[in-house]
Amino acid sequence: MKPFGTEFCDHIAIASYSAGAWTAPSIEPLAPLSLHPAAHVLHYASSCFEGFKAYRWADGRGRIFRLHDHVARMRRSAASMVLPVPDADLLAGMVVDLVHHNLADIPEPPASLYLRPTLIGTLKNIGAAAAPSTEAMLFVLASPVGDYFTSGAAALKLLVEDGRERTTEQLGSTKTGGNYAAALGPTLAAKEKYGVDQVLFCPNGDVQETGAANFLLISDDEILTKSLDTTFLHGMTRDSVLRLGAEMGYRISERPFTVDELLEKVSTWEACLSGTAATLTSVGSLVYKGEEIKVRDGQPGPNRAKLQKALQDIQYGLATDTHGWLTEVG
Ligand code: PLP
């Protein structure tokens, strides 16, 4: 299978917005988009997106994980970028129709079909820096992706960055391209300087998240992660793991915590990144003030494995979905 995000199904779902209304969505062959060079998104970054997966079960049908929660997050992102907010039914329907159309392209678990709804401002106006785009395009891409863990993911090394932020406080919980652009430079610089995989952004000592995943500390009986606020993306994997963890008997602590507490805990606690792409990825070491600090023995831990299995069993149809997280297609 090709690297994550580089292979695409040959159709997309697409709709557009102008004069206060959305067109009826359609399934179209995948092809380059036609955009006016003055399109608002190209100048003023009016865009947002989502990322989630559909799985193929043994019955041949598709199951989309937490579709309605991802649609709700996309609508919050759209509102925050002052873009036309698609109705939940319109967006969910586009995703379901696309998955249905591409059912045969969903690979067997642990692989899946990654879904990428994207909304862009298309108003032709390069004088609209301080005005919203009243025209927009909404499309959904589908991309067959492999499982990160079959390739034997090693534990990651993170730079603990307590000086700068991943993005602005105002847009931290919005899934918009500019946030990734803001984190890119610091992340590449840290990779080069320290040989780390990712940067854990902890402005003023407040442990937040990495460029594209949430951060969790896990002991044998507790899961600790930052409580929801506007500074970071409210991950669906984070939420799912916290809910499953509570049912499995872990104490769930959602509260702010500092780099000092982090460094003290990692001698005995496991550390993980959580996100759709890699579910739960172990963190093996942290680099702070030029020094490398091991997380426990540096190896992936048993609690991560337990929680990941609980989540994947639901996604793959090996355990009952008691939360109503899956939308059946086909
Ligand atoms: N944080 C950021 C910045 C992300 O880009 C992502 C991935 O989408 C996450 C966290 C994890 O979110 P989710 O679990 O919904 O994939």
Side-chain angles (χ1 to χ4, degrees), residues 70 73 166 175 180 209 211-214 233 235-237 274-276:
H70 283 282
R73 191 170 73 181
R166 166 181 166 257
K175 201 160 169 62
Y180 300 84
E209 65 172 337
N214 295 127
L233 191 75
M236 238 46 89
T237 314
S274 78
T276 293

